[in-house]
């Protein structure tokens, strides 16, 4: 009844929030196309302006923005913080205690992918669109490395060892 209608109405907003987090974390859309920080900010504003998204979710997405974009300038803070509960703002300040810049952008998270990794991402997007329920954009390189290590197929040329692995 009413609960199902409410949840169905929230699904697009929840999906947009999850998609924005994934886009910011990877720097690309689900098709592998690079996204500008201006686009991230406009989408962040829309989420923060929504009265249908809970404050905790908004706060998480704002913190993800700050971390992935290397900070937030005063104009951006004024716009975003006007839509957040004032009790939530100290949590953003705590990021500074973790060594994360929350002020003007300094060292934005750079996503430079070499051509072989880009090819892996595009291949993954084509072959495994439903991997991890669609919540992962690409398979992390570490996953393949760990799988190769477990299977005993890890290249010793690419990954030298100090002591020979047990057989």
């Amino acid at each position: 009844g009413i609960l199902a209608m409410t949840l169905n109405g929230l699904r697009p907003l929840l999906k947009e929030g999850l998609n924005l987090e994934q886009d910011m974390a990877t720097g690309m859309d689900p098709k592998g196309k690079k996204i500008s920080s201006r686009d991230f900010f406009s989408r962040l504003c829309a989420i923060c302006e929504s009265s249908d998204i809970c404050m905790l979710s908004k706060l998480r997405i704002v913190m993800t923005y700050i971390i992935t974009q290397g900070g937030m300038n005063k104009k951006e803070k004024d716009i975003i913080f006007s839509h957040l509960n004032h009790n939530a703002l100290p949590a953003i300040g705590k990021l500074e205690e973790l060594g994360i810049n929350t002020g003007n952008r300094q060292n934005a998270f750079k996503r430079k992918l070499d051509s072989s990794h880009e090819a892996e991402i595009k291949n993954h997007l084509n072959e495994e669109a439903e991997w991890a329920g669609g919540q992962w954009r690409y398979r992390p390189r570490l996953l393949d490395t760990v799988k190769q290590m477990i299977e005993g197929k890890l290249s010793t040329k690419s990954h030298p060892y100090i002591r020979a692995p047990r057989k």
Side-chain angles (χ1 to χ4, degrees):
I2 294 174
L3 180 60
M5 287 178 14
T6 303
L7 290 175
N8 285 335
L10 289 177
R11 279 199 181 99
L13 297 170
L14 295 173
K15 185 175 181 179
E16 176 55 27
L18 291 172
N19 281 336
L20 178 57
E21 286 179 329
Q22 287 291 307
D23 291 352
M24 288 187 297
T26 62
M28 65 182 100
D29 68 12
K31 295 179 181 173
K33 182 182 170 208
K34 190 171 180 167
I35 301 175
S36 73
S37 60
R38 188 175 300 128
D39 180 52
F40 293 142
F41 186 73
S42 64
R43 291 168 58 197
L44 177 66
C45 288
I47 286 171
C48 288
E49 289 170 359
S50 173
S51 60
D52 295 325
I53 297 178
C54 75
M55 190 56 55
L56 190 57
S57 293
K58 290 179 185 181
L59 183 61
R60 185 185 70 243
I61 295 169
V62 168
M63 293 171 107
T64 301
Y65 177 86
I66 290 169
I67 293 166
T68 60
Q69 302 307 302
M72 185 181 273
N73 66 40
K74 182 176 178 357
K75 184 179 176 184
E76 291 172 330
K77 281 183 181 179
D78 289 344
I79 293 167
I80 295 300
F81 289 7
S82 70
H83 299 291
L84 298 179
N85 183 313
H86 73 277
N87 292 329
L89 299 181
I92 293 171
K94 295 291 183 183
L95 288 174
E96 288 279 346
E97 293 178 23
L98 297 172
I100 297 168
N101 176 45
T102 61
N104 287 332
R105 287 189 184 92
Q106 293 176 350
N107 297 316
F109 179 59
K110 301 292 183 205
R111 300 163 200 87
K112 294 194 180 195
L113 304 174
D114 61 35
S115 59
S116 67
H117 198 198
E118 280 185 21
E120 288 175 21
I121 291 169
K122 290 192 188 294
N123 185 44
H124 165 70
L125 291 171
N126 290 333
E127 291 180 5
E128 303 182 60
E130 298 301 316
W131 192 57
Q135 296 304 308
W136 287 36
R137 285 289 157 76
Y138 63 96
R139 180 188 352 245
R141 282 184 159 178
L142 184 59
L143 178 66
D144 293 327
T145 303
V146 170
K147 279 184 174 181
Q148 290 170 3
M149 185 183 75
I150 291 169
E151 294 167 356
K153 298 177 182 175
L154 190 63
S155 164
T156 56
K157 184 177 180 183
S158 299
H159 304 279
Y161 52 83
I162 297 172
R163 207 174 338 160
R166 290 185 236 157
K167 301 224 178 202

